[in-house]
Amino acid sequence: MSRLDRRGFLRSGVAAAALWAGASAVAVAAPARQRRPNVVLVLLDDMGIGDAGAYNPWSAIQTPNIDRLAREGMRFTDMHSSSAVCTPSRYSLLTGRYCWRSRLKKGVLDGTGTNLIEPGRLTLPGLLKRAGYHTAGIGKWHLGLGSGEAADYAKPLRPGPRDHGFDYYFGIPSSLDFPPYLYFENDRVVEAPTAHTDGSAAPRGVFWRAGAIAPGFRMEEVVPTLTDKAVGVVRQAAMAGNPFFLYFPLPSPHTPWVPLPEYRGKSQAGDYGDYVVETDAMIGRLLDEIDARGIAEETIVIVTSDNGADWKPEDAARFAHRANQAWRGEKADAWEAGHRIPFVIRWPGRVAPGSVSNETGSLTDVMATLAGAIGLALPDDAAEDSFDLTPALEQRGAPPIRPNIVDHSLDGLFTIREGNWKLIVGLGSGGFTLPKTVVPAAGGPQGQLYDLAADPREEDNLYDRRPDIVARLSATLDRLQREGRSRPRRTG
């Protein structure tokens, strides 16, 4: 689809967004206009904590828009995705619950996956919708569509985003390297996947699997197309005048690395770096629209990632760039690079410009944090693993908000953190980095224990030397699994 075709294609989508905004305004408008903040949540796909200049002054990639948000807001240095891969981290973000409590115990859904979020479960958009927000999602869903054995794209895609709190959703079913390749709007396919692609495996990173594809679908046009839609949603929601929530899960810089021609050569990190430059530019377009509508002072903007970067040793050898900073491993791993992520939040009047938080947090915490900030009560049967991070946002001198944090690798390997102590319940990476698994030697350590303060590279395994810490963290993990929650229940 050419850019000219894309503009024509989007005219109908913008009209749909206008109808959505107007209909929602009729349905939920309060007698007097509420001044609750708008929320724009940008979820990047496989972007590492070392990609943005705000986190890495030696980055080989220019990210002026993410850097601007960090200057105007706060960046977290110890934020985690709850999983080192995308489907489970998205589940955690939207539900406030660790995904390993769901039916998905490891891995991710593919393009034929069916609805993962349990029917009736309160989600972040559902919570905000109850409070009078217009709720829209634009981008990669990757939480399953429909029911049964496999998604049927010839039928209404229910359950789907509209069943989980979104008034409007436009996007792609899963990652941009999983077929079928198509756009869907609410519960309908925009163009049926009647064509076929043989896929691609070269050069490095320009990868997608063979399978069904809509005839007008072009890999390199997906990111700008979704951005056009997101900008249109902001425009229409701002005109409607009520608070809105925009969830904008871009499918980049996940493979395939397919930057548009105008972004090629703009980094010193190859196709990946150029795709990050394009991704940052799309964030800039969204910020420009927020500014143009005069709503920047009343809009929370969050930019984060669903896991660490797919940046392999051969990439680091080829380019002077460290997408995951100096953390060990990469995307999918139980080691820090798998799930330590960038997290930047701008909230004028509440978050000090240029501030930094070392508070340990998780994407599961977004739901409780926004609820606390806006003044919404979370029922006990929702967001079971979500903690309110507003004391960290407001830089109040408080003890650590989370007593512990649990993360999960691609293969389902658990990690648990308590302060600087980190236990990995097994040997190996549990993800992409070799060795993925290691059979314990007779009399050797059964797992991995690291003191991240003294050993941030996770190179000195203290498992056998600190059995007291291993026992304590193992017991805590067992209790969290058994009790079904980590957030304390409300009392009184």
Side-chain angles (χ1 to χ4, degrees):
M1 184 182 296
S2 70
R3 264 169 283 175
L4 179 62
D5 292 338
R6 177 165 55 83
R7 287 195 294 269
F9 168 68
L10 285 163
R11 275 195 284 271
S12 63
V14 171
L19 288 173
W20 156 75
S24 297
V26 171
V28 300
R33 186 181 177 188
Q34 299 178 17
R35 296 315 313 154
R36 282 176 168 156
N38 309 309
V39 179
V40 174
L41 174 53
V42 182
L43 181 66
L44 305 179
D45 199 356
D46 288 10
M47 183 164 171
I49 195 170
D51 285 330
Y55 281 93
N56 178 9
W58 298 279
S59 175
I61 306 169
Q62 303 239 343
T63 55
N65 296 292
I66 296 174
D67 299 349
R68 170 194 167 187
L69 285 171
R71 288 194 307 272
E72 296 174 350
M74 173 181 283
R75 63 181 173 89
F76 280 71
T77 64
D78 197 8
M79 185 65 69
H80 298 260
S81 55
S82 87
S83 173
V85 285
C86 45
T87 296
S89 62
R90 289 158 199 273
Y91 176 96
S92 294
L93 175 64
L94 292 182
T95 66
R97 184 178 187 238
Y98 291 135
C99 188
W100 45 266
R101 301 193 192 280
S102 77
R103 76 169 196 265
L104 187 68
K105 305 303 182 185
K106 62 180 181 178
V108 301
L109 301 182
D110 63 16
T112 66
T114 56
N115 176 63
L116 179 62
I117 299 176
E118 298 82 3
R121 170 162 291 281
L122 183 63
T123 63
L124 174 58
L127 177 74
L128 295 176
K129 186 173 180 178
R130 288 181 180 181
Y133 279 71
H134 308 310
T135 59
I138 305 293
K140 170 181 167 178
W141 179 239
H142 212 176
L143 287 166
L145 293 164
S147 59
E149 295 283 324
D152 186 344
Y153 290 93
K155 295 179 179 178
L157 301 172
R158 307 291 294 269
R162 290 290 300 275
D163 302 288
H164 299 302
F166 288 102
D167 292 313
Y168 177 78
Y169 201 97
F170 179 95
I172 60 175
S174 61
S175 298
L176 197 50
D177 57 11
F178 274 125
Y181 305 107
L182 55 84
Y183 296 107
F184 72 97
E185 187 170 35
N186 293 326
D187 63 356
R188 305 282 173 163
V189 167
V190 173
E191 182 184 28
T194 55
H196 178 83
T197 174
D198 292 333
S200 173
R204 157 75 177 131
V206 185
F207 166 78
W208 65 90
R209 294 166 178 82
I213 186 170
F217 194 93
R218 301 289 181 269
M219 298 292 177
E220 68 277 8
E221 289 289 342
V222 172
V223 167
T225 294
L226 295 173
T227 304
D228 287 345
K229 295 286 288 188
V231 167
V233 165
V234 170
R235 181 180 305 126
Q236 295 298 332
M239 290 170 60
N242 293 92
F244 69 89
F245 169 63
L246 171 62
Y247 173 55
F248 186 33
L250 278 166
S252 57
H254 191 290
T255 54
W257 301 339
V258 285
L260 290 170
E262 55 262 46
Y263 299 103
R264 292 194 176 276
K266 297 298 184 182
S267 77
Q268 288 75 52
D271 289 336
Y272 174 82
D274 296 348
Y275 208 24
V276 173
V277 170
E278 177 177 335
T279 300
D280 181 80
M282 299 302 110
I283 294 170
R285 289 190 53 206
L286 201 60
L287 296 178
D288 289 346
E289 186 64 28
I290 290 170
D291 289 342
R293 296 294 148 188
I295 57 173
E297 294 300 309
E298 57 193 69
T299 302
I300 301 170
V301 179
I302 298 170
V303 175
T304 186
S305 180
D306 64 348
N307 46 250
D310 180 20
W311 197 245
K312 302 186 183 302
E314 54 265 36
D315 299 316
R318 184 179 175 194
F319 300 104
H321 179 66
R322 299 296 178 264
N324 294 309
Q325 292 182 323
W327 301 110
R328 184 180 183 184
E330 62 162 307
K331 168 188 175 176
D333 294 350
W335 297 317
E336 286 296 287
H339 47 81
R340 189 177 288 239
I341 54 172
F343 188 96
V344 178
I345 178 168
R346 184 183 73 181
W347 188 1
R350 292 287 293 273
V351 172
S355 53
V356 178
S357 176
N358 298 320
E359 188 77 37
T360 303
S362 169
L363 288 186
T364 61
D365 299 331
V366 172
M367 189 166 172
T369 301
L370 289 175
I374 295 169
L376 307 176
L378 277 178
D380 274 342
D381 63 350
E384 294 94 333
D385 299 299
S386 194
F387 287 74
D388 183 356
L389 301 180
T390 51
L393 296 178
E394 296 172 350
Q395 296 181 293
R396 289 185 251 140
I401 295 168
R402 278 184 154 275
N404 49 64
I405 188 169
V406 178
D407 286 290
H408 213 221
S409 80
L410 170 68
D411 291 342
L413 190 61
F414 278 98
T415 81
I416 181 168
R417 271 270 308 279
E418 188 178 276
N420 292 319
W421 289 108
K422 175 180 176 181
L423 175 68
I424 303 177
V425 189
L427 300 174
S429 74
F432 288 164
T433 302
L434 299 177
K436 296 182 179 182
T437 59
V438 175
V439 177
Q446 302 294 299
Q448 302 169 69
L449 179 71
Y450 301 106
D451 176 356
L452 292 181
D455 177 30
R457 281 284 302 162
E458 299 173 274
E459 295 173 327
D460 185 15
N461 186 1
L462 302 175
Y463 191 94
D464 282 347
R465 283 172 274 169
R466 293 303 305 267
D468 55 328
I469 304 296
V470 171
R472 188 179 81 225
L473 293 179
S474 297
T476 299
L477 180 59
D478 288 344
R479 175 177 58 80
L480 294 177
Q481 293 171 315
R482 186 174 62 253
E483 293 181 352
R485 64 186 302 115
S486 56
R487 178 169 65 93
R489 292 186 181 275
R490 287 184 298 158
T491 58

